[in-house]
Amino acid sequence: MRHVLFPGRHHVLTRFQAEYLAGLANSDSTVVWAVTSANHENTRRNPVPYHRREAAIERFSVMTGLRSVVVPVFDTAPTERFAEVTVKTIAVATGLELTPADTVVACSTPEVAALYAALGFPLVGVEADQEHPVERPWDVLLRLADGDETWRVLAHPATVDVFDRYGLTETVRSVVNDPVVGDEGGLTATRDYRTYVEAFAGSAARKWELVRGHVRPGRIVDIGCGAGAVLELADREPTLRESDLIGVEVARHLYEECVHKKAQGAFANPNVFFYRRNVLGGAVFRPRSVDTTLTFALTHEIWSYGEQWKSLRRFAEAIYAHTVPGGIWINSDVCGPDGRDVPVRLRLADSDGRNPERPRDDLARLGPAAAGEYVAGLSTRARLDQFAVDFAFPFAYEAHDDGSVTLPLGAAMDYLTRKDYVENWLSETREQFCGLEFADWKALLGDVGFVLEPASTGTRNDWIVANRLAPVAALEHLDGRPMEWPVTHVLLVARRPHTAMA
């Protein structure tokens, strides 16, 4: 036997694997480590970057006396040809043509092993071969994530050494236990990031024009930078040519787009950097080290996916801590109307789509595309009933015989500003746009220590009113008087004072 093909994510190597491979391979054998999901990191499913996994494997090989070859295998869409793709990837990367005649596949996952068996490769089950249960690598990693120090006994010293030297223990614990980040690194598994990239690019010029006059040169950080569209515009500002432009993004798909843009020469400034971080996981920058922090359409997500007030306050405190005295935080986001708890009467069109007897309670099982298609076919009035079922922030409403509905103003605006996002309905209904009104922001930022600049204000997007709201909806006071459409967005320019407030 010339080769042992060992496919897997290989985040943790174990003492058991060392003993098993030593007994399986001979002095003339080469262990071929096919490291899958090699292009993923900082996700719950893949918390350790490939280059750290490779380093641990190489050290493992030296310590055990095994001759190894390590090959990265990028993640692909689920396919029955996974085994074939892996073998071809190895051939391209190393020149090794693995065949059933000279290779045994070591794999403990039955579904994956079956794909290699279909190609004729002989199999060994590693942990699955044992008469008594053996801790698998992922189980060891979960012990680490749970704070169980016995992981150090089960893991091979090569993994322990690499984790200790590069501080990966805390990284793994943070990523695996993070309630905000999903298996693939985004905020939600139901989000179509293609449409978000398009939306970010389309609105970047408007966003930059809104804030450019308030930006202080120096270290400029865009948290939740999306695909980096705003930083591209900042890069073109002559007054910022000596500044550091830093993008922070949690979603893997968007972060990878930023890195790709930089590699393709989209930025003239050499001091453009991107980091993949979840800002709720702890401080990203040193205290008093950032001149300007930009956040666009981010704070409502922190509120929605975190612990509302607790998470948002922690975020504001982190920004205050990393802001230099005299530096600013510019926040542009959706906003709740003043008096969001006041009951109002809402009238909605019911002739622009279907009006089923009752809303569905199984949209999540349909999947994002089918759910969006279903909601798109509903009338504006019926869509409210469906929204009330799917919305992660429950609200009460009362339907009247004249077709109107009584509900809190904030809930009405949450629905009206969300009703047209059918393509991402399952993710949009997890977010609350109107959790805070301007007065709440003013109190929160003042309590943290910021001083609001006069430019800070609530605004109404009249395009949304004219094109999305007014044609199909009307707001009224409870006595029937027409109500003006309230604010929909907020611009906050918050400055850290040079001296602490008394």
Side-chain angles (χ1 to χ4, degrees):
M1 177 186 60
R2 293 178 54 204
H3 305 113
V4 176
L5 173 56
F6 196 11
R9 287 178 285 159
H10 299 306
H11 293 287
V12 170
L13 311 176
T14 65
R15 293 177 185 270
F16 171 79
Q17 288 176 329
E19 296 174 1
Y20 189 91
L21 291 174
L24 180 65
N26 55 47
S27 58
D28 297 324
S29 298
T30 298
V31 180
V32 181
W33 302 72
V35 183
T36 58
S37 297
N39 54 326
H40 289 190
E41 61 180 280
N42 283 323
T43 70
R44 191 171 296 160
R45 193 166 69 92
N46 293 292
V48 181
Y50 165 75
H51 61 287
R52 302 299 187 216
R53 289 182 260 172
E54 180 185 34
I57 292 169
E58 294 288 7
R59 183 156 178 74
F60 175 97
S61 301
V62 170
M63 295 175 71
T64 57
L66 291 169
R67 185 174 189 272
S68 293
V69 171
V70 188
V71 179
V73 179
F74 282 15
D75 201 45
T76 61
T79 173
E80 291 298 313
R81 300 179 60 193
F82 172 76
E84 180 183 345
V85 169
T86 300
V87 171
K88 288 182 177 179
T89 299
I90 293 168
V92 170
T94 67
L96 294 175
E97 300 282 350
L98 304 184
T99 69
D102 65 6
T103 304
V104 62
V105 175
C107 180
S108 60
T109 305
E111 297 81 6
V112 176
L115 300 178
Y116 288 99
L119 297 179
F121 284 96
L123 302 169
V124 291
V126 198
E127 292 88 1
D129 274 347
Q130 308 310 299
E131 183 177 346
H132 301 291
V134 174
E135 203 95 2
R136 299 193 180 202
W138 189 252
D139 298 323
V140 177
L141 184 137
L142 291 181
R143 285 192 183 220
L144 181 160
D146 289 339
D148 183 347
E149 287 300 309
T150 58
W151 78 271
R152 293 177 176 274
V153 177
L154 297 166
H156 190 271
T159 286
V160 175
D161 174 58
V162 170
F163 273 43
D164 286 346
R165 279 190 287 134
Y166 292 100
L168 294 176
T169 301
E170 287 307 314
T171 298
V172 169
R173 284 176 179 159
S174 175
V175 172
V176 173
N177 296 320
D178 193 333
V180 177
V181 181
D183 286 352
E184 297 305 324
L187 289 171
T188 168
T190 60
R191 176 166 290 178
D192 178 0
Y193 283 97
R194 175 187 56 80
T195 62
Y196 275 76
V197 169
E198 294 170 355
F200 288 148
S203 64
R206 174 180 55 80
K207 291 176 179 177
W208 180 243
E209 192 59 34
L210 179 69
V211 306
R212 63 191 293 267
H214 306 293
V215 172
R216 170 173 163 158
R219 296 192 83 202
I220 300 168
V221 176
D222 185 358
I223 299 179
C225 66
V230 169
L231 288 180
E232 286 187 75
L233 296 175
D235 178 62
R236 300 171 193 170
E237 289 284 338
T239 58
L240 302 179
R241 63 182 181 275
E242 298 297 328
S243 295
D244 290 349
L245 304 179
I246 303 169
V248 179
E249 178 55 54
V250 66
R252 175 176 57 83
H253 310 71
L254 300 179
Y255 167 76
E256 290 175 351
E257 181 67 18
C258 291
V259 173
H260 176 71
K261 282 184 177 180
K262 182 178 178 180
Q264 294 299 308
F267 298 93
N269 187 336
N271 295 312
V272 176
F273 308 96
F274 292 101
Y275 297 96
R276 182 136 184 271
R277 299 286 190 276
N278 171 23
V279 293
L280 294 185
V284 178
F285 300 99
R286 297 189 314 276
R288 301 188 177 203
S289 65
V290 175
D291 294 278
T292 299
T293 301
L294 303 172
T295 53
F296 297 98
L298 173 70
T299 49
H300 77 275
E301 293 191 337
I302 292 173
W303 170 277
S304 301
Y305 292 102
E307 301 175 85
Q308 286 75 65
W309 277 106
K310 182 179 179 181
S311 295
L312 197 57
R313 182 183 178 88
R314 188 165 63 240
F315 178 69
E317 289 172 340
I319 292 184
Y320 183 86
H322 77 218
T323 301
V324 302
I328 62 169
W329 172 21
I330 306 172
N331 180 33
S332 173
D333 204 350
V334 291
C335 184
D338 296 338
R340 67 184 185 282
D341 295 326
V342 173
V344 297
R345 183 160 290 201
L346 177 64
R347 297 186 183 276
L348 300 169
D350 61 4
S351 60
D352 53 353
R354 299 190 310 273
N355 293 282
E357 290 186 8
R358 61 182 61 86
R360 297 186 62 157
D361 61 2
D362 64 345
L363 286 193
R365 291 198 294 272
L366 296 182
E373 183 178 352
Y374 173 79
V375 174
L378 298 176
S379 74
T380 303
R381 173 64 185 85
R383 208 173 288 185
L384 171 66
D385 294 332
Q386 189 63 53
F387 182 78
V389 170
D390 299 326
F391 194 40
F393 300 84
F395 62 91
Y397 68 106
E398 180 183 359
H400 303 291
D401 292 339
D402 65 355
S404 65
V405 177
T406 298
L407 73 173
L409 177 59
M413 293 305 296
D414 251 314
Y415 166 63
L416 290 171
T417 53
R418 209 71 45 75
K419 65 182 178 61
D420 297 297
Y421 289 96
V422 295
E423 287 186 352
N424 288 292
W425 182 263
L426 294 179
S427 63
E428 290 293 345
T429 53
R430 307 305 299 171
E431 300 179 9
Q432 186 176 32
F433 281 15
C434 301
L436 290 85
E437 56 189 81
F438 185 78
D440 297 323
W441 273 113
K442 186 174 180 179
L444 172 62
L445 294 177
D447 195 39
V448 168
F450 283 108
V451 175
L452 278 184
E453 297 284 279
S456 302
T457 184
T459 61
R460 185 179 70 189
N461 187 318
D462 288 330
W463 185 93
I464 290 178
V465 170
N467 293 276
R468 298 287 178 83
L469 308 188
V472 294
L475 276 177
E476 299 174 355
H477 296 279
L478 292 185
D479 61 8
R481 289 179 296 119
M483 177 180 286
E484 285 286 327
W485 292 105
V487 301
T488 56
H489 292 75
V490 67
L491 173 66
L492 300 163
V493 182
R495 187 173 300 276
R496 175 171 177 162
H498 286 277
T499 58
M501 303 297 289

